[in-house]
Amino acid sequence: MDSLQSIDWIIIIGVISITLLIGFFSGRLKDSSADEYIVSSRNMGLFTFVAVNVTTWYGGILELVNTLIDMVFHHGLHKDCRIIYLR
């Protein structure tokens, strides 16, 4: 299995084509500007707002945890090991 089969290429091209078509047609549905895109037309519900913020927060926490685990793995736990907090 060194190369992709023809069915793999069909699936990849199909997914990319569908994604581009959805983006193209949804972009033409209404007049949009950068400000409208940034504030999501002020149409973001509470659930979506909370979900986006929680996933962003978890992503940041997990990155910090992974950094600390990596530091302990490479340097070990001893009195000279300093943990640098990223600000």
Side-chain angles (χ1 to χ4, degrees), residues 11-84:
I11 291 171
I12 291 170
I13 292 170
V15 168
I16 291 172
S17 300
I18 290 171
T19 304
L20 288 174
L21 286 172
I22 290 172
F24 179 74
F25 286 120
S26 67
R28 292 176 133 305
L29 289 179
K30 62 180 178 178
D31 185 32
S32 60
S33 65
D35 292 333
E36 209 172 273
Y37 176 76
I38 290 171
V39 296
S40 183
S41 299
R42 298 193 185 269
N43 198 15
M44 184 182 290
L46 180 63
F47 176 76
T48 307
F49 178 75
V50 170
V52 166
N53 285 303
V54 167
T55 54
T56 304
W57 183 77
Y58 274 129
I61 291 296
L62 292 177
E63 182 61 33
L64 179 63
V65 168
N66 287 337
T67 303
L68 294 176
I69 290 172
D70 187 53
M71 288 176 65
V72 169
F73 179 75
H74 288 294
H75 303 290
L77 288 175
H78 53 81
K79 66 179 181 175
D80 295 331
C81 183
R82 305 276 191 250
I83 297 176
I84 300 170

